[in-house]
């Protein structure tokens, strides 16, 4: 292996400090789970069910299937060169400097957009208890809280995500168990609905909204998986990536089956899918319709904590991406400095400040779910761009460094074949988003980011040329 293969692109930076490997196996596993269970599932699944009906189960299964291969491609490359700190390093090494610039800054912006979506979600959750509470209070409170926690240490971030993930897991498993009991005893809710698995097919069949309804389900369902690649970003601060990274990635199919498919089966078995309000979390509305008011409040707390967890992951991820960009002089050098606690404090402050404009959407949209749909569409397109760069990087890696692939102990299954299949799948999803009226606006707005980024890259290249 030559020197270029051995060195991370980040090592071009001079006079900067190194991130500490303060995350353990249990932290990484829970970060991976937390990344797979986010606001898109807890809030957005209500709208996806209303669009696709029971066929939403197949939608989640298909998306999970393709994203598993994206993660396997990233996992193989991260372990082939342990000096890679994230997929940004991979993209720059395999595709060129432009790819590192575009993937790094796009990923940063992705999490800013997701943070805004979490602010919108938290406002919706708080309105369940306090309908008259000013909408901005929850968002500002979340930003201040997450900033304070992330300024501590990366180990504290890992602990926070560990317990956030535990709350999600316990809540979803409890929900599935409660639904199973209600179905077993044929429970009839105060509204007259009987819990039964037949609810999945007795109202128009599995594809109750037709093929176009099934297709429309992809628009918000894809957002539910955003952040699944966070495990790759966190690998740079993990004690034993050779062991922990494969475990976290290989568990993705199990997590999709349990936390997405079984959870939604539970919801639609207890609550007929046409009765689910797309404006409200179906996890909360399920227990509300069954008459368990106190339990619904508990679940509302859980989904609120899930949004906080997603925001926490986003703030963590954006600060690390800014750190990596600054180390290769693609961001202001202040972002490459670590605090005495070993965290990129400047990046944390900058990212949190960029979340504040998102509060405007709370007052410019007719409903929270309308604003949420717009934001999630933009985030989904940007993430698909990043995922495509990972796949393209893998194809180049296989061509340029076949010896590394041959030695790999964590090879991506079906390699090049699945890479092509994944890219085709993302193209289809992009067309679906463009066809749906409520997501078309997000598609139209997204190119603005790439225009800004293209201009910024030309300015950056011009400065580099002058220095040379």
């Amino acid at each position: 292996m030559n020197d270029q293969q051995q060195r991370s692109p980040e090592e071009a930076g001079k006079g900067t400090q190194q991130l500490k490997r303060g995350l353990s196996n249990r932290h990484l596993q829970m970060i991976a789970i937390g990344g797979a269970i986010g606001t898109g599932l807890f809030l957005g699944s209500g709208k996806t069910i209303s669009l696709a009906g029971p066929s939403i189960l197949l939608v989640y299964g298909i998306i999970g299937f393709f994203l598993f291969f994206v993660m396997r491609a990233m996992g193989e490359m991260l372990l082939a060169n342990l000096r890679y700190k994230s997929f940004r390093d991979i993209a720059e090494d395999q595709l060129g400097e432009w790819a590192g610039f575009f993937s790094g800054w796009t990923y940063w912006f992705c999490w800013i957009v997701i943070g805004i979506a979490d602010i919108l979600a938290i406002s919706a959750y708080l309105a369940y208890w306090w309908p008259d509470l000013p909408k901005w209070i929850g968002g500002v409170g979340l930003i201040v809280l997450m900033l304070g926690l992330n300024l501590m240490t990366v180990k504290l971030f890992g602990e926070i995500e560990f317990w956030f993930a535990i709350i999600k897991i316990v809540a979803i498993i409890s929900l599935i168990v409660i639904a199973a009991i209600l179905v077993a005893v044929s429970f009839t809710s105060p509204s007259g609905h009987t819990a039964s698995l037949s609810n999945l097919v007795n109202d128009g069949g599995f594809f109750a909204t037709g093929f176009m309804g099934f297709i429309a389900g992809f628009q918000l369902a894809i957002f539910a998986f955003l952040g699944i690649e966070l495990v790759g970003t966190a690998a740079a601060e993990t004690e034993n990536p050779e062991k922990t990274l494969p475990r976290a990635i290989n568990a993705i199919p199990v997590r999709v089956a349990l936390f997405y498919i079984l959870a939604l089966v539970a919801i639609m078995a207890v609550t007929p899918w046409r009765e689910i309000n797309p404006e409200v979390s179906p996890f909360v509305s399920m227990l509300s319709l069954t008459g368990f008011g106190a339990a619904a409040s508990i679940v509302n707390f859980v989904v609120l904590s899930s949004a906080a967890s997603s925001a926490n992951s986003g703030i963590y991820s954006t600060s690390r991406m800014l750190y990596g960009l600054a180390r290769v002089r693609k961001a202001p050098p202040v972002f490459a400095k670590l605090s005495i606690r070993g965290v990129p404090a400047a990046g944390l402050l900058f990212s949190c400040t960029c979340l504040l404009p998102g509060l405007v959407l709370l007052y410019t949209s007719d409903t929270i779910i309308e604003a949420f749909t717009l934001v999630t569409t933009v985030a989904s397109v940007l993430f698909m761009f990043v995922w495509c760069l990972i796949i393209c990087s893998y194809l180049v890696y296989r061509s340029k460094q076949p010896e590394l692939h041959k030695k790999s102990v964590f090879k991506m299954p079906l390699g090049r074949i699945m890479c092509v299949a994944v890219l085709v799948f993302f193209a289809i999803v992009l067309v679906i988003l463009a066809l749906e009226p409520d997501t078309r606006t997000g598609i139209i707005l997204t190119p603005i980011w790439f225009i800004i980024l293209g201009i910024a890259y030309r300015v950056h290249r011009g400065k580099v040329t002058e220095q040379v």
Side-chain angles (χ1 to χ4, degrees), residues 9-30:
E10 284 186 355
E11 291 182 41
K14 296 180 181 180
T16 53
Q17 303 151 290
Q18 295 288 338
L19 292 172
K20 299 178 181 178
R21 292 187 179 270
L23 299 178
S24 65
N25 176 52
R26 68 184 178 90
H27 291 143
L28 190 66
Q29 296 299 325
M30 289 304 174

Side-chain angles (χ1 to χ4, degrees), residues 39 118-119 121-122 125 142 145-146 149-150 160-161 164 168 301-315:
T39 311
D118 293 325
I119 290 172
I122 282 179
Y125 299 147
L142 172 69
L145 176 62
M146 293 301 102
L149 292 174
N150 274 273
I160 293 169
E161 280 305 296
F164 270 145
K168 296 179 190 179
F301 167 76
V302 171
V303 296
L304 191 152
S305 70
S306 173
S309 170
S310 176
N312 188 44
S313 296
I315 291 171

Side-chain angles (χ1 to χ4, degrees), residues 30 67 69 75 101-103 111 135 146 158 171 175 206 232 250 255 260 322 346 357 400 404 406 429 440 443 455:
M30 289 304 174
L67 286 183
F69 288 97
F101 188 91
F102 273 70
S103 63
W111 276 106
K135 296 177 181 178
M146 293 301 102
L175 190 84
F206 188 74
N250 286 335
R255 292 198 297 269
Y260 287 85
L322 288 176
K400 289 185 175 180
L404 288 183
K406 192 173 296 184
V429 173
R440 191 178 300 133
I443 290 287
I455 295 172

